Structures are given as C-alpha cells and as structure tokens.
Amino acid sequence: MEKFKATKDLIDAIEKDMFNFYEKGNKAAGTRVRNAMQQLKVMATDIRKEITEKKNNK
C-alpha cells in the first residue's frame, strides 16, 4: 500500500504543472509532467511486481 500512496501523492503533486502546461502553455511544466509520468510508469511496474509476488506466494 505504501507504493500506491506514493503514486497518488505524485499525481497530486503534478496537478498544478498539468494545468500550467495545458491551460497556460508553460513548456517547462510540460517537461516536469513528462518526467513525473516516467516515474509513475516505474512505480506502476513495481506495484505490479509486488502484487504478482504476493499473489503467487499464497
């Protein structure tokens, strides 16, 4: 659950940058969003692995 909470926190943290990129055209905010999305991808993969391991060990 810790990894899931960290994922939610990261999404909340980039909300302002998403707004700045899409509504205000701030290109630097877009770069920050892209970096955060890459982090989310890695985090999601880690969560999937953890769930699979837990499922298979029961």
Side-chain angles (χ1 to χ4, degrees):
M1 271 313 268
E2 294 171 18
K3 291 180 183 179
F4 182 71
K5 183 178 178 344
T7 302
K8 286 176 54 175
D9 291 343
L10 181 58
I11 291 171
D12 290 341
I14 64 169
E15 186 174 2
K16 182 178 178 183
D17 284 329
M18 290 289 286
F19 176 80
N20 286 339
F21 177 72
Y22 283 106
E23 299 297 324
K24 295 184 178 180
N26 184 329
K27 292 181 182 180
T31 300
R32 289 189 295 272
V33 170
R34 283 193 358 258
N35 289 336
M37 290 297 172
Q38 183 61 37
Q39 289 177 332
L40 285 171
K41 179 181 173 183
V42 170
M43 294 168 88
T45 300
D46 290 344
I47 291 171
R48 286 180 47 119
K49 287 178 186 176
E50 183 179 296
I51 289 170
T52 300
E53 288 174 7
K54 189 169 184 125
K55 180 185 72 149
N56 290 338
N57 287 335
K58 282 194 173 191

